[in-house]
Amino acid sequence: MIRSYKLEDINYIISTHYEIYHKEYHYDESFKEFIQKKVWDIVNRAHVRENIWVVEKEGDLKGSVCINQFDSEIAQLGLFLIDPLSRGLGIGSQLIKTAIKFSTEKKYKKIILWTNSDLIAARNLYKKFGFEIVETQEVVLSNIAMVEERWELILNSEGERKGEN
């Protein structure tokens, strides 16, 4: 079940992001600080055009995604994570659909996201939903050299993805 976050979910969102990215990609503590700030910024703003969703299965949390307002016309997708043991079950697609539907309902014209070239499975999912890479840059984040990518998805006035029938 995908649902909006509760305050008791915040520790899961922050700690799981750090633990998985540290284990799989060797990200340092600065990543945990980045995630913590992003989560608390959304929680503290309590803006009607922003939300964090979690996947709950049999009482356990298995993933998350968020939409925050970049500006009045642009939503930003983030905090996208699937528990390693729950990957490949369609949860990621469900989370992305939830974020796109919410963005459409809130009348955003575009969704952007930042990711990096090492996150192959996530990148494939973004492509599946019509996101396109619009910018790349070489950066050092969390003490790791990487190619950071900005992706975007244009939403049409009927709330469908650009090019969708």
Side-chain angles (χ1 to χ4, degrees):
M1 165 178 69
I2 296 176
R3 61 168 174 78
S4 292
Y5 78 96
K6 300 175 188 172
L7 285 178
E8 57 263 27
D9 301 328
I10 292 172
N11 187 54
Y12 163 82
I13 296 165
I14 295 167
S15 62
T16 303
H17 270 79
Y18 172 69
E19 290 164 10
I20 290 174
Y21 278 83
H22 179 70
K23 180 179 181 182
E24 295 182 0
Y25 301 101
H26 311 292
Y27 285 19
D28 67 14
E29 283 280 329
S30 67
F31 182 70
K32 186 174 187 177
E33 294 165 6
F34 167 77
I35 295 297
Q36 191 168 18
K37 181 179 181 343
K38 183 163 185 78
V39 169
W40 281 109
D41 283 351
I42 293 169
V43 169
N44 290 332
R45 279 192 303 267
H47 196 287
V48 297
R49 295 183 82 206
E50 299 183 330
N51 201 4
I52 303 170
W53 297 269
V54 294
V55 176
E56 184 175 354
K57 186 175 179 185
E58 298 173 2
D60 293 325
L61 299 181
K62 302 293 184 183
S64 65
V65 72
C66 79
I67 287 291
N68 64 280
Q69 181 171 288
F70 183 79
D71 68 26
S72 64
E73 296 185 347
I74 302 173
Q76 184 169 358
L77 187 144
L79 300 176
F80 182 53
L81 182 76
I82 306 299
D83 176 270
L85 298 176
S86 298
R87 292 176 184 162
L89 303 175
I91 292 171
S93 288
Q94 292 173 16
L95 284 169
I96 298 295
K97 284 178 188 175
T98 298
I100 291 170
K101 182 176 186 269
F102 177 84
S103 298
T104 299
E105 289 169 354
K106 298 302 180 184
K107 307 291 187 216
Y108 287 111
K109 294 182 179 180
K110 181 190 313 186
I111 303 172
I112 64 168
L113 65 89
W114 285 93
T115 191
N116 70 67
S117 60
D118 290 337
L119 302 179
I120 303 299
R123 293 172 78 250
N124 288 336
L125 198 53
Y126 301 143
K127 282 182 200 173
K128 173 184 167 185
F129 282 95
F131 284 86
E132 297 177 350
I133 298 173
V134 296
E135 178 184 349
T136 63
Q137 59 188 2
E138 292 183 21
V139 296
V140 175
L141 296 172
S142 198
N143 220 13
I144 307 287
M146 65 181 74
V147 176
E148 189 177 48
E149 303 169 336
R150 183 168 67 92
W151 293 61
E152 67 179 38
L153 174 68
I154 305 298
L155 301 171
N156 71 26
S157 60
E158 287 76 43
E160 299 167 335
R161 297 186 298 274
K162 181 180 174 184
E164 189 177 59
N165 294 326

